Amino acid sequence: MSELTCEQLVELVTDYLEEALTPEARRRFERHTALCPGCDVYLDQIRITIAELGRLTPERVAPDARDRLLAAFRGWAAETR
């Protein structure tokens, strides 16, 4: 099986973190991050972002930021339908 490209890794990062990859896909993912410093940093950034967002409460989000986020998510959801 061929090695992953950086673009393919980005597409798989959510499945990797949710442990949804096949064992072979997981090995390819981990082999790529072990050899690619940019993707290793990207993976760390995603982990940090998820951890920080997990600590965010609705009260800590400014109303204008909340409104912009909701509009962005609604637009994104409409595009994926």
Side-chain angles (χ1 to χ4, degrees):
M1 192 167 270
S2 66
E3 296 298 321
L4 288 179
T5 65
C6 297
E7 291 79 14
Q8 291 170 321
L9 184 131
V10 168
E11 295 288 327
L12 295 173
V13 72
T14 300
D15 287 343
Y16 175 77
L17 293 172
E18 293 178 351
E19 299 186 11
L21 295 178
T22 65
E24 175 57 24
R26 187 171 188 84
R27 280 190 291 276
R28 292 175 62 213
F29 187 99
E30 290 172 345
R31 191 169 41 241
H32 183 95
T33 57
L35 299 173
C36 181
C39 286
D40 188 38
V41 169
Y42 174 75
L43 181 58
D44 286 344
Q45 289 172 336
I46 295 296
R47 285 181 169 138
I48 291 168
T49 300
I50 291 169
E52 290 299 319
L53 289 175
R55 288 190 280 268
L56 189 63
T57 62
E59 296 79 24
R60 292 180 56 201
V61 179
D64 63 320
R66 183 194 63 231
D67 292 346
R68 285 184 279 136
L69 285 169
L70 288 173
F73 291 138
R74 287 182 184 122
W76 175 69
E79 290 176 12
T80 59
R81 289 183 197 158

